[in-house]
Amino acid sequence: MENSISSIGLTRRFGKVNAVENLDLAVRSGAITAFLGPNGAGKTTTIRMLLGLVAPHAGTCEVLGFPPGHPLALAQIGAMVEAPSLYDHLTGRENIEITRLMRNESRSEADRVLSLVGLAQDSNRPVRGYSLGMRQRLGIALALMGKPKLLVLDEPTNGLDPMGIHEIRDLIRRLPSETGVTIFLSSHLLAEIEQVADDLVVIHHGRLRFQGPMAALGTAGPAEITVRVDDLTRASDYLASQGFTARIDRDRLWIQGEQSEAPHIVSSLVGAGIAVFELVPHRVNLEDRFLALLEGE
Ligand code: ATP
């Protein structure tokens, strides 16, 4: 199946609010697709419609080839919408066991999902002692029970500290190659999904603003390189004297230029006695591009 999720003209209102309006989705099978939009953009409402939890007012959608909420689709979807509901007084493994027994899965399935999310070592500790990131990973383990074809995650990193975000990001990145699952995850922060997603769907005020490969978002605008150095002002002045366009933003220097110019930039800076700690090429400033999309470019 080429697309795991597709919709045409999907629409849902709440009173006078058009939560989702005329949404055409095409989510590729086997990929990680990020569903991005600011708070209130309509992400959760869309996900709820896809899972059959909310009825659309107009439009149609198919998930894994079935209408939303169809038992044959739901049996192949693992979903974590909002925080997972866990029994705090039980261990991670006991929480998993409850779902395993309810779903009549084999004993080895508990071990498989616990090790997939990196909780095998901590599985015999009570969940009350888990960090938020560990709780989210346990929620994802529950969603992975029974080898779903599609994993739907609604803001899986919401409220997590940087360490927790890193853990979830690593996990999401590994899952498609290790299990073949298609991932559809929502987020309101581009920075969070930038290194994870293959494809991107951007909505704002319920309307589609962009849909396509992550790389296509970055094809407009100049390429940039960021560097971290010991003396930002001196580096900026020096590069300007060499004909580069550079600006300081917080602890980094943003230089207009292609990746192929990186060696020249580093050797120039080092030659001028400036220590270079880090250099990262960016095809464009994705954050700017994303904000431009939201402003209705
Ligand atoms: P967030 O990131 O804050 O969860 P979101 O992108 O998931 O935002 P939705 O929760 O889908 O956005 O909300 C879209 C719009 O629909 C918002 O204006 C919200 O207030 C409204 N809305 C959502 N659910 C309901 C509801 N049950 N009753 C009334 N209005 C609702």
Side-chain angles (χ1 to χ4, degrees):
M1 193 184 308
E2 198 182 328
N3 290 327
S4 289
I5 300 173
S6 56
S7 76
I8 300 170
L10 206 58
T11 299
R12 172 74 204 202
R13 292 177 293 276
F14 290 106
K16 285 187 176 148
V17 177
N18 282 335
V20 177
E21 209 177 332
N22 211 13
L23 190 62
D24 296 347
L25 285 177
V27 174
R28 256 192 323 137
S29 297
I32 300 176
T33 298
F35 189 33
L36 205 60
N39 287 325
K43 303 180 297 293
T44 303
T45 304
T46 303
I47 287 176
R48 288 182 170 278
M49 285 193 281
L50 296 174
L51 296 176
L53 300 169
V54 164
H57 286 133
T60 56
C61 59
E62 265 192 9
V63 182
L64 300 175
F66 294 97
H70 193 290
L72 289 177
L74 294 180
Q76 304 179 78
I77 300 172
M80 187 170 75
V81 181
E82 291 158 2
S85 57
L86 302 169
Y87 295 101
D88 273 16
H89 65 292
L90 299 181
T91 66
R93 180 175 291 277
E94 285 165 339
N95 272 275
I96 293 283
E97 277 296 300
I98 294 167
T99 304
R100 183 185 76 78
L101 291 168
M102 273 167 49
R103 298 184 58 166
N104 204 17
E105 294 288 343
S106 69
R107 202 172 271 274
S108 63
E109 189 59 3
D111 291 321
R112 187 187 75 91
V113 295
L114 281 166
S115 87
L116 259 179
V117 302
L119 281 178
Q121 300 260 335
D122 295 294
S123 63
N124 293 320
R125 284 174 46 200
V127 164
R128 89 166 69 81
Y130 279 19
S131 68
L132 260 182
M134 290 165 79
R135 297 175 72 94
Q136 291 297 88
R137 280 189 284 144
L138 189 58
I140 294 175
L142 286 167
L144 288 169
M145 185 93 63
K147 303 191 177 77
K149 281 190 182 157
L150 173 65
L151 184 63
V152 178
L153 304 172
D154 192 16
E155 302 264 4
T157 53
N158 220 2
L160 298 188
D161 60 12
M163 183 64 191
I165 292 174
H166 180 77
E167 288 171 4
I168 297 288
R169 191 189 286 160
D170 262 12
L171 169 62
I172 289 170
R173 220 176 351 211
R174 280 192 288 110
L175 282 176
S177 57
E178 288 183 14
T179 67
V181 74
T182 299
I183 300 184
F184 187 62
L185 84 153
S186 76
S187 172
H188 60 275
L189 296 173
L190 177 68
E192 251 175 48
I193 51 85
E194 198 179 329
Q195 298 152 40
V196 171
D198 304 307
D199 292 354
L200 203 57
V201 175
V202 179
I203 63 165
H204 191 31
H205 296 312
R207 288 167 175 260
L208 188 70
R209 287 295 165 88
F210 173 86
Q211 178 160 230
M214 190 79 188
L217 184 70
T219 49
E224 290 189 298
I225 290 170
T226 55
V227 291
R228 269 196 321 117
V229 292
D230 60 349
D231 188 334
L232 280 172
T233 313
R234 209 155 72 76
S236 172
D237 291 347
Y238 178 72
L239 287 172
S241 76
Q242 301 295 303
F244 284 98
T245 304
R247 64 186 162 88
I248 297 170
D249 186 4
R250 279 161 287 177
D251 61 340
R252 281 172 174 68
L253 194 60
W254 287 78
I255 308 155
Q256 276 188 24
E258 297 292 337
Q259 187 166 1
S260 55
E261 293 174 84
H264 176 53
I265 290 170
V266 174
S267 60
S268 301
L269 288 171
V270 172
I274 295 159
V276 179
F277 298 116
E278 181 192 285
L279 179 145
V280 182
H282 299 259
R283 290 194 54 211
V284 285
N285 184 344
L286 281 183
E287 197 73 39
D288 287 350
R289 179 84 181 105
F290 175 52
L291 290 175
L293 278 173
L294 297 189
E295 279 154 19
E297 185 192 49

